[in-house]
Amino acid sequence: MTHRVRILPLLAATAVVCSVALSGCGSSDDTVGSAEASAVPTQDITSRIAKDEKISAELPANVRSAGTLTVGTTQTPGTSNLPHGGVVDNKNVGLDLDLRNAIGKVLGLNWNVQYGTFASIIPGVQNGKYQVGQANFGVTAEREKVLDFSTYLSDGQGFLGSSRVDLQKVSTITDVCGYTIATTPGSTFQTLLSSHVADCAKVGKKPWTVQYFNDTAPIFLGLANGKVDLFFGPVLSLKYDEKHVEGTKFLGQISSTSVGFVTAKDSGLAKPLSDAVNKLIETGDYAKIFAKWGVPDTGVDRSTVNPPSTF
């Protein structure tokens, strides 16, 4: 998916823009707000988490004295960007928020949350506007040249299908030959489809057809009305969508990607962030957060700093 340091490759498709016209996000109607809220899990997992003095001591002295970290992230009204994040009844909700708050508890810090666009957050980390960036950033070799990563989940590239299509499982890219596929322009998804465009002919199948959308709302509409067969997107979100978008089924993934917090190179923040994630894994709170949002198999066994990139 395309993101920047300029725009750097990976995971732009997870920066979902809410379409008010098509999805009703941001509606002031109280009934809509109540309906959205009723579908959002409300378990409190983070409030009882205790500070870990040893991990907190790893933070730079100026951060410990300030007691806060400024994080740049994205904000999407409504529920279209769940499980990562949304705004329901004027409250921020989501897996990313719960995980961030849990890490803040371990570190003994408060978060100064600043909202930006997906493409602006990495440059903001580089120029010092944000100390930490969190927006489902996938690890890439190009990014690791200028940023430090602290991984906190595993995502990847996979397919969501309309329940009306016969396809039941996707293991390789040629399994989707002959289908109409919706994805995000300027993304790793587009790159993968473009780079494998000749593969269908090699195995004697018809080529796929691709339609590009910047918003998930028309993709889901296309799946419902038959204009689209498959959605090629980020695995964590697709697994969540399968449970919440009627008439869809998750078909599988063809590659995986580590996702992490981004911090300025050698800022001293990457290790304590990673160690805080590992503390949550050790206590079981990490698993509870992922289970709360219905995506238990997208977590990591252990957080690492700057892991090898597959992109």
Side-chain angles (χ1 to χ4, degrees):
M1 312 155 205
T2 36
H3 290 302
R4 294 202 239 262
V5 189
R6 237 174 0 165
I7 288 186
L8 297 178
L10 207 66
L11 292 174
T14 58
V16 179
V17 179
C18 181
S19 169
V20 175
L22 291 172
S23 67
C25 299
S27 170
S28 60
D29 183 275
D30 291 338
T31 303
V32 172
S34 299
E36 286 182 329
S38 67
V40 175
T42 58
Q43 303 98 297
D44 176 14
I45 296 168
T46 61
S47 64
R48 62 175 182 77
I49 296 172
K51 178 181 178 181
D52 187 299
E53 297 290 349
K54 183 177 178 181
I55 298 175
S56 178
E58 297 174 2
L59 291 163
N62 65 323
V63 173
R64 292 200 307 274
S65 61
T68 62
L69 274 175
T70 299
V71 58
T73 189
T74 57
Q75 185 180 54
T76 303
T79 59
S80 69
N81 199 35
L82 290 177
H84 286 292
V87 182
V88 177
D89 287 347
N90 297 315
K91 286 185 177 181
N92 288 297
V93 295
L95 183 151
D96 290 4
L97 173 66
D98 284 349
L99 187 59
R100 184 171 67 240
N101 286 344
I103 288 169
K105 290 281 190 176
V106 173
L107 295 175
L109 294 171
N110 294 315
W111 292 101
N112 173 21
V113 181
Q114 302 290 323
Y115 297 109
T117 65
F118 194 93
S120 70
I121 292 171
I122 283 179
V125 171
Q126 289 183 272
N127 66 27
K129 181 177 181 179
Y130 313 122
Q131 292 167 289
V132 181
Q134 183 192 22
N136 210 40
F137 290 114
V139 176
T140 71
E142 189 174 359
R143 285 177 179 159
E144 286 189 319
K145 293 176 183 177
V146 294
L147 298 164
D148 285 331
F149 274 87
S150 306
T151 62
Y152 61 85
L153 64 82
S154 177
D155 210 337
Q157 292 74 35
F159 289 88
L160 186 76
S162 166
S163 57
R164 64 181 171 74
V165 302
D166 293 334
L167 186 63
Q168 299 300 317
K169 184 177 181 180
V170 175
S171 300
T172 66
I173 195 73
T174 54
D175 290 339
V176 299
C177 293
Y179 289 95
T180 300
I181 303 169
T183 195
T184 305
S187 65
T188 295
F189 306 119
Q190 179 180 4
T191 300
L192 284 169
L193 291 173
S194 298
S195 63
H196 290 276
V197 69
D199 289 11
C200 294
K202 292 177 183 177
V203 296
K205 295 183 177 181
K206 294 180 179 179
W208 51 66
T209 302
V210 185
Q211 297 182 15
Y212 296 105
F213 302 92
N214 286 307
D215 188 346
T216 56
I219 293 176
F220 295 142
L221 182 63
L223 289 170
N225 64 24
K227 292 184 178 180
V228 171
D229 298 318
L230 310 173
F231 174 20
F232 189 26
V235 168
L236 184 149
S237 295
L238 298 187
K239 287 182 176 179
Y240 183 88
D241 293 335
E242 177 188 36
K243 299 173 184 176
H244 296 84
V245 180
E246 187 177 355
T248 64
K249 56 187 177 182
F250 179 69
L251 299 174
Q253 69 184 79
I254 60 170
S255 59
S256 62
T257 303
S258 294
V259 171
F261 295 100
V262 293
T263 51
K265 204 73 177 170
D266 301 322
S267 67
L269 295 173
K271 186 177 187 299
L273 285 170
S274 180
D275 287 347
V277 174
N278 286 327
K279 178 68 176 183
L280 294 169
I281 293 172
E282 176 187 323
T283 62
D285 293 305
Y286 177 90
K288 290 177 183 177
I289 291 170
F290 279 77
K292 171 183 175 179
W293 291 101
V295 286
D297 56 348
T298 58
V300 293
D301 294 329
R302 184 166 184 80
S303 172
T304 57
V305 174
N306 296 332
S309 169
T310 55
F311 285 87

